Amino acid sequence: MTAAAKAARLADIHTAAFPAPWDAAAFESLLTQRGVFVIEEPEGFILLRAVADEAEILTLAVRPETRRRGLGARLVREGGAAAAGRGATRLFLEVADDNTAALALYARAGFAEAGRRPGYYARPGGGEQDALILALNLPATLP
């Protein structure tokens, strides 16, 4: 698969999963950056960056019609293991503090709150939402 085709596929899933999705150009640019890698499934993916001893989940997207079947949890486990394999000892992410489904997923995986970014997310139609910074020590046994 070409880089452009991969980026288009990721953007398609992201569009289905989020109200403010990233486009194919954004994914194509991210995939060329140092330390960025993706783990893909037919109905979802996790995009991470691992540099030195830290890794970050840049985005996790699962098509809405296939949610609540374990795919997100599996992608988080595989992403954490892959980041640890690249030398990361800590995995971070940012999530909207009102995203209860994602917060539950990450809590089950062992993530803990490490900080807050006030007004980090712009909401369609106006307004802002805080982001929670979550962290997980690696290697960890991800449930």
Side-chain angles (χ1 to χ4, degrees):
M1 177 181 297
T2 68
K6 177 180 273 214
R9 181 182 176 290
L10 298 177
D12 179 60
I13 294 170
H14 211 259
T15 297
F18 292 102
W22 300 349
D23 64 15
F27 281 105
E28 197 163 1
S29 174
L30 280 166
L31 290 168
T32 65
Q33 293 179 15
R34 179 176 164 245
V36 173
F37 64 99
V38 64
I39 298 171
E40 299 175 71
E41 294 280 340
E43 301 302 324
F45 68 91
I46 188 168
L47 183 72
L48 304 100
R49 177 182 7 245
V51 178
D53 64 346
E54 291 186 351
E56 176 185 11
I57 296 174
L58 300 173
T59 192
L60 168 66
V62 175
R63 291 188 186 278
E65 64 273 14
T66 61
R67 290 181 180 159
R68 306 199 66 74
R69 298 182 189 164
L71 177 57
R74 187 169 69 246
L75 288 168
V76 170
R77 273 193 313 274
E78 291 176 11
R86 288 169 168 76
T89 60
R90 201 148 148 95
L91 179 59
F92 294 91
L93 64 97
E94 290 154 345
V95 60
D97 69 354
D98 66 347
N99 188 339
T100 56
L103 289 169
L105 168 72
Y106 294 125
R108 284 191 305 271
F111 283 83
E113 186 174 337
R116 178 179 289 267
R117 296 187 195 280
Y120 185 76
Y121 292 107
R123 292 296 190 200
E128 297 175 335
Q129 191 67 44
D130 289 356
L132 295 179
I133 301 166
L134 304 181
L136 176 71
N137 291 327
L138 298 174
T141 304
L142 300 175

